[in-house]
Structures are given as structure tokens and as C-alpha cells.
Amino acid sequence: MSKTLSLMEQEAVQVLEKLEQHGYLAFFVGGYVRDSLLGRPIHDIDLTTNALPEQVLHIFPHCIPTGLKHGTVTVMMEHHSFEVTTFRTESEYEQYRRPKKVEYVSRLEDDLRRRDFTMNAMAMNRHLELIDPFGGKKDIEDRLIRSVGNPAERFQEDALRLIRCVRFSANYGFDIEQRTEQALEQCSTLLKYIAMERVQAEWERMMAGPRPWVGLRHLLRHGFIRNLKEELPISPEMWEAVLHPGLEQWLRRLSGSQARWCAVLWTLNCDPMIASEALKILKYPNRFVEETAAVLHVLEQWKTWDGAHEDGIKPFIRWSVRYGREPVLHALSLLEQAPLVFQRKASDSFVQLLHTYGAKVQERLMAVPVQSAADLNVTGKDLITAGIRPGPRMGEILKTLLLQCALGDLPNEREVLLQAAGKWQEQGMQGGID
Ligand code: ATP
Ligand code: MG
């Protein structure tokens, strides 16, 4: 094979050469070999060798003993660093995840055999000649994910492979070989041994990847959803909605995990509170959970909104004061990209409004002069000085001032705002935002 090597590849070749000069065998392995056969972008390069970790540490001046227990040393070259792992086998897996025993071996093939799928179980020497004892290249050509050896046994050794399998299928657009796929279902109960953080990492890569709907369908079809370590508050029956062809169409138009999660949760008919709970269980960061829930809250509003009686822009402003401008804009752009069946789920008036106002609403929302109480030309302190009693009622007054300014019903001027606040205190509130 002749190809121009990137700087990273050239440095990796230097590492291989140096190991060979010291009398050892050394190869490219794993994801790098797979992705270079596929012509996909390369992010990192893993190397494997029969040199023991101490020997690797001895040969290279700049090393980090990253995972000595598992035989991994990170070798730092001038521009890139490489994980160099000694040929090894794993055995006596505990809790369907961790191998208790790691043994160094002398043959490359034995190292490749412990790897999960044929496409991940190939190596290349420094001349880029392929070593492929399990038919990985053929499977890549046939676009198939196949376990190395007996799939059920391999999933029982390490149940994380179940979800890696699904993630590779979604992100690479590969089918799962029949026996491997049968074993997915058979072994799905083992997922309860896998930490939610690990599940999340794989799930998130699917959501951000090119075909999240493929991943979601696998998760449903093979019973993964109901066998997670922590139960999600969304029933398997609700999950059936991921099969809706409109969802695929919608997800294709959206990029980024968060917008896609919003679309999925909306399609599942998931209440915003339940959605937050589900994302928390999936270990999404708080900020992600809150932002997603806010968008879903705004989307919820569409279901009951009767646009016929209101000036088109007003509800948007009301929601942006209540939930923040970002979630309103997100919800709007999400629904703009939704297929008609999902837009209709909002309301017919929404569909009309969207078609008539569309871009204009966004423009108007961006031009609203006040977004939060901090933008008002009065503070809580000012109100107290002017005789408003502190407490929840004062909070309501501030919110109402904000809303009225945002709607353009009051100018954002100190004297006017103080006067209105004083009047509301006497008369009781009108026109609140809730
Ligand atoms: P990506 O980096 O895109 O996730 P990758 O194949 O490089 O893909 P890594 O997690 O970086 O995945 O693992 C490197 C290699 O280690 C894999 O190609 C595979 O050979 C092996 N491997 C990783 N995880 C497992 C596992 N759970 N069981 C068996 N082999 C594994
Ligand atoms: Mg990798």
C-alpha cells in the first residue's frame, strides 16, 4: 500500500521502527487500522508490541506509565503521543466487565483475539501491511460488525461490548452480523452491570453521530432500554415512538446531541419533568438537563396555545421572560425543522404562525430590550426604598415589570417602573407571567 503519511502516522512509524531496532515486534492496532481502511479521519493511533512495559519505558526517553497494570505506556514523540500496549490476553472477567487477569503473551494473534469485533481486531506493520486473522477487512467491505469468536461469550465477558456494538452500527452505518445480533438480545440483561456513565458515553456518541435513529432503534429492539442499571422513567411502550419514520427525517435535519434529544423526547411525548429525570439518570450534566427541559417546556406550550386570539409575537415574549430567550429560539428552530406531523402536534395555529412569521419572530425576540430582571432600570433595593415590602410578592412585581417592558407595554424607565410597582402593590397584581 502506498500512501502519504500524516505527521502523526510518521511519528508512529518512528516508534515502531525504534521498537524493532531493539529486537521487538510492533504494530499499529485497533481503531487506527479500522479507520484507515475505511478512509475515515484518524484521531489517535494505538500501537501494540511484544516489548514489556518496562522495556518500552527504557527505550523511549519521554514516556508516561499510563496503565502499567494493563501493559500500557504512553510514548511522547515531538508532536504526538501514542499508547503502546504490550500483547496481552484477558481472562476471568468480573462483574461482566473487568478482566481479573491480564497476561502478557508473545503472539500478536492472541492479543487480537481478545478484541471485541473483527474490524477492531486487525493490525498493520510499519509498511502498512495488514495482519487480519479474523476477516476484519472482508467484514468492513461487507459493512458488518461481527464479534471475534462466540458473540454471547464475548458479551458475557464484557457487557460494555453490547453498547459499543450498537454505537458502531449507528455511527458507521454497518449492519450487525446475524449471530452477533442474536447474542445482543440474549445478553441484554447483562447491561445492568454497566455503570450508567459508560452507557451515557456511548449513547452520547450516537446522539452526536450521523445516524442516531439507528442507535435508538437498536436500543429499543434488543431490549437495552429496559435492562439498564438504573431504570428510566420512560416506559418501553413510549420508546416505541422512536420507530416513527418522521423522527428519522427530523433527526437528519438537526445537528448536535441536545437538539436531537429534544426532538426525541418530544416524539416520545415525554413530559418535561420526566425528561429531566431521564437525562439525569443518564448522567447528563445539570446544565444540559436544564436547558433541554426548558426547550421542552416551551414546546409544551404550543399544545394548548390558541394563537387566533393573540398578537403573534406576544406568547413568544412571554415564554422568553419565563424560560429565557435561548430555549424559545431553540424550540422555534426545532419546530421549524420538524416534519409536518410533529408540527401539527404543537397546534394548527402554530403551523400557520410559523409559516407566516417564521424568521420575523426570531428577529423580534432578539430585539426585545430586556431579558432578565438585571436589565431593568430598577433593582429590588430601589423597590424597597420606594416602600414595596420584600418577599415573594416583590419577586412577582419584578417579574411583571420585566414582562411588561419586554412586551413594550412599559418603557424601561426608573420612575415609570417605580410608579407601576407602587400601583400594583396597592391594587394587587394584573397581567402576571404565569
Ligand atoms: P473509538 O476510539 O472510535 O471509540 P476504538 O476502536 O479506537 O474506537 P477504543 O475504545 O479506543 O475504541 O479501543 C481501542 C481498541 O481496543 C479497539 O479497537 C478494540 O480493539 C479494543 N477494545 C476497546 N474496548 C474493548 C472492549 N470493551 N472489549 C474488547 N476490545 C476492546
Ligand atoms: Mg480509539
Side-chain angles (χ1 to χ4, degrees):
M1 200 189 301
S2 80
K3 83 172 212 180
T4 320
L5 297 185
S6 67
L7 178 61
M8 180 164 57
E9 288 168 318
Q10 289 171 29
E11 288 191 341
V13 168
Q14 287 165 19
V15 175
L16 298 181
E17 273 170 355
K18 195 142 183 202
L19 284 162
E20 286 184 8
Q21 283 160 11
H22 282 78
Y24 300 108
L25 300 171
F27 302 90
F28 292 102
V29 76
Y32 166 76
V33 180
R34 175 195 68 219
D35 289 340
S36 64
L37 286 186
L38 276 161
R40 289 172 67 100
I42 306 296
H43 305 291
D44 52 25
I45 298 180
D46 292 328
L47 304 174
T48 186
T49 179
N50 65 348
L52 294 174
E54 308 82 79
Q55 293 164 329
V56 177
L57 285 170
H58 189 72
I59 292 172
F60 294 94
H62 304 291
C63 284
I64 308 170
T66 325
L68 280 190
K69 229 172 69 191
H70 296 103
T72 305
V73 172
T74 302
V75 173
M76 325 249 289
M77 297 296 278
E78 195 181 348
H79 303 280
H80 297 275
S81 51
F82 304 94
E83 292 208 337
V84 179
T85 305
T86 305
F87 297 167
R88 60 166 217 238
T89 55
E90 297 174 342
S91 54
E92 299 178 30
Y93 291 82
E94 281 179 328
Q95 290 291 304
Y96 305 96
R97 175 74 192 109
R98 258 173 282 279
K100 198 164 114 193
K101 220 160 115 188
V102 168
E103 255 174 320
Y104 298 132
V105 290
S106 54
R107 281 166 24 116
L108 171 65
E109 186 175 329
D110 293 327
D111 177 277
L112 295 178
R113 193 188 306 282
R114 75 168 163 92
R115 295 171 184 270
D116 46 7
F117 305 110
T118 59
M119 64 178 190
N120 291 342
M122 296 181 287
M124 264 179 191
N125 65 16
R126 67 188 165 87
H127 307 293
L128 305 189
E129 289 157 353
L130 191 67
I131 296 106
D132 178 19
F134 306 105
K137 181 162 185 267
K138 168 85 167 60
D139 284 335
I140 285 182
E141 282 159 8
D142 295 342
R143 307 185 73 76
L144 274 184
I145 298 166
R146 182 195 306 270
S147 288
V148 174
N150 178 311
E153 281 174 16
R154 303 309 311 281
F155 292 137
Q156 274 159 28
E157 288 172 356
D158 177 359
L160 182 68
R161 292 171 188 156
L162 292 162
I163 192 146
R164 275 174 63 89
C165 181
V166 161
R167 189 253 297 174
F168 281 121
S169 169
N171 287 7
Y172 284 65
F174 283 17
D175 285 333
I176 302 171
E177 176 272 329
Q178 203 187 356
R179 279 179 60 227
T180 307
E181 185 152 27
Q182 280 165 1
L184 282 184
E185 193 151 346
Q186 195 185 327
C187 300
S188 64
T189 53
L190 301 179
L191 276 176
K192 64 172 172 291
Y193 293 97
I194 303 300
M196 292 306 282
E197 286 79 2
R198 301 305 300 261
V199 172
Q200 194 265 349
E202 299 292 329
W203 197 326
E204 171 59 16
R205 288 179 75 174
M206 285 190 267
M207 292 306 280
R211 289 167 217 85
W213 57 92
V214 172
L216 290 164
R217 288 174 193 165
H218 277 307
L219 294 177
L220 175 73
R221 182 160 356 110
H222 304 306
F224 286 12
I225 301 268
R226 52 192 150 78
N227 284 304
L228 297 176
K229 185 169 186 174
E230 292 177 46
E231 196 181 339
L232 296 177
I234 306 170
S235 70
E237 292 69 40
M238 281 172 81
W239 278 102
E240 296 277 329
V242 301
L243 301 174
H244 195 301
L247 179 62
E248 174 179 338
Q249 207 184 333
W250 197 1
L251 292 175
R252 277 183 191 280
R253 295 176 191 164
L254 301 173
S255 58
S257 152
Q258 192 167 37
R260 286 159 162 194
W261 263 116
C262 291
V264 168
L265 292 163
W266 164 260
T267 306
L268 300 182
N269 242 335
C270 203
D271 168 271
M273 296 298 291
I274 305 278
S276 316
E277 215 182 302
L279 292 173
K280 271 188 213 153
I281 290 173
L282 280 170
K283 309 296 177 213
Y284 271 92
N286 284 342
R287 185 150 170 207
F288 186 100
V289 176
E290 281 158 22
E291 287 172 1
T292 311
V295 175
L296 290 170
H297 270 294
V298 177
L299 290 173
E300 276 298 290
Q301 304 299 318
W302 292 114
K303 290 189 184 167
T304 48
W305 180 61
D306 178 4
H309 303 299
E310 276 198 79
D311 174 356
I313 187 73
K314 284 197 171 169
F316 291 99
I317 296 178
R318 187 162 284 140
W319 301 336
S320 88
V321 168
R322 183 161 170 191
Y323 302 108
R325 181 165 58 189
E326 286 307 307
V328 178
L329 291 174
H330 280 157
L332 195 67
S333 95
L334 261 174
L335 280 171
E336 269 177 334
Q337 296 173 84
L340 192 62
V341 288
F342 294 126
Q343 290 183 348
R344 281 256 146 77
K345 201 166 108 183
S347 73
D348 276 343
S349 354
F350 170 76
V351 179
Q352 270 169 19
L353 183 90
L354 193 67
H355 290 271
T356 353
Y357 289 87
K360 211 174 197 150
V361 171
Q362 267 190 29
E363 217 175 277
R364 288 279 305 275
L365 265 187
M366 295 304 288
V368 169
V370 284
Q371 285 301 321
S372 71
D375 299 328
L376 287 174
N377 282 326
V378 285
T379 61
K381 236 180 177 168
D382 293 335
L383 293 182
I384 295 169
T385 315
I388 311 277
R389 285 180 294 280
R393 173 62 175 235
M394 196 174 88
E396 274 174 51
I397 290 178
L398 269 172
K399 274 196 208 165
T400 310
L401 288 175
L402 178 63
L403 178 66
Q404 303 253 316
C405 283
L407 289 170
D409 294 345
L410 276 182
N412 187 11
E413 289 165 15
R414 201 181 130 81
E415 287 312 315
V416 180
L417 298 179
L418 285 175
Q419 209 178 12
K423 203 171 77 194
W424 291 334
Q425 160 124 311
E426 278 162 33
Q427 296 173 353
M429 300 278 297
Q430 278 168 7
I433 62 169
D434 292 325

